[in-house]
Amino acid sequence: MLRLKDICQLIDGEKRNGKGICLDAKYLRGKSSATIVEKGKFVYAGDNIILVDGENSGEVFTVPQDGYMGSTFKQLWLSSAIWKPYILAFILFYKEDLRNSKRGAAIPHLNKELFYNLPIGIPPYQEQQRIAERINELSQLLK
């Protein structure tokens, strides 16, 4: 049994200058068109980012294209020793706990202490794959 802090970290991302798409929550949810910004914290297509400020703190997105993550995000670094979809399914499982334990009055923030201390069981790699695939199958049935 490990803690989430043993297999993932919240990091700032690489500061860069130059035009790029702003990857904010509205854009990532398909609710607004892309805006171009001149600088920011750069992330690559396929990276995972997590909302750390606001009502939906704890929500994870996989970046669809290179760009600059919105100011309410942190990059979610995941250990390559663990099957990524398994960790993401695990974080999704705790989404309500993370959402309900936000800190701050005006703008709620992700409770990083709770996030990092979530216990996670690490079965063998192939079992992680089977669990993640089954969760995906079941979530498709619920839609």
Side-chain angles (χ1 to χ4, degrees), residues 61-74:
F61 295 91
T62 300
V63 176
Q65 65 198 83
D66 294 0
Y68 297 111
M69 65 181 163
S71 60
T72 56
F73 284 98
K74 289 273 189 200

Side-chain angles (χ1 to χ4, degrees), residues 3-75:
R3 301 267 172 213
L4 213 47
K5 65 184 170 195
D6 298 320
I7 57 168
C8 72
Q9 295 294 315
L10 303 176
I11 55 179
D12 280 339
E14 177 189 337
K15 284 187 180 179
R16 274 203 198 166
N17 293 322
K19 288 186 180 181
I21 288 181
C22 179
L23 302 164
D24 61 14
K26 283 183 179 175
Y27 174 73
L28 292 169
R29 289 188 189 112
K31 302 217 186 307
S32 73
S33 53
T35 53
I36 303 297
V37 291
E38 299 288 327
K39 61 183 177 181
K41 294 179 179 169
F42 190 82
V43 287
Y44 294 95
D47 286 352
N48 293 292
I49 57 177
I50 184 169
L51 267 172
V52 293
D53 292 330
E55 194 173 308
N56 293 311
S57 293
E59 188 175 0
V60 177
F61 295 91
T62 300
V63 176
Q65 65 198 83
D66 294 0
Y68 297 111
M69 65 181 163
S71 60
T72 56
F73 284 98
K74 289 273 189 200
Q75 192 172 1

Side-chain angles (χ1 to χ4, degrees), residues 1 3 7 11 30 32-34 36 42 72 80 94 97 100-101 110 115 122 128 143:
M1 182 75 69
R3 301 267 172 213
I7 57 168
I11 55 179
S32 73
S33 53
I36 303 297
F42 190 82
T72 56
S80 60
Y94 280 107
D97 292 337
N100 293 331
S101 68
L110 178 71
F115 178 83
I122 307 294
Q128 293 171 37
K143 286 183 180 176

Side-chain angles (χ1 to χ4, degrees), residues 90-141:
F90 177 84
I91 293 170
L92 184 64
F93 176 78
Y94 280 107
K95 189 175 176 178
E96 287 304 311
D97 292 337
L98 292 168
R99 184 175 287 156
N100 293 331
S101 68
K102 295 185 291 279
R103 300 244 167 112
I107 299 175
H109 306 288
L110 178 71
N111 182 336
K112 292 182 181 93
E113 186 179 342
L114 173 74
F115 178 83
Y116 279 135
N117 284 303
L118 289 172
I120 181 170
I122 307 294
Y125 200 78
Q126 286 185 318
E127 186 66 15
Q128 293 171 37
Q129 291 175 310
R130 281 195 291 276
I131 291 169
E133 286 167 12
R134 188 72 180 128
I135 290 169
N136 187 39
E137 289 169 14
L138 293 171
S139 66
Q140 294 304 315
L141 292 174

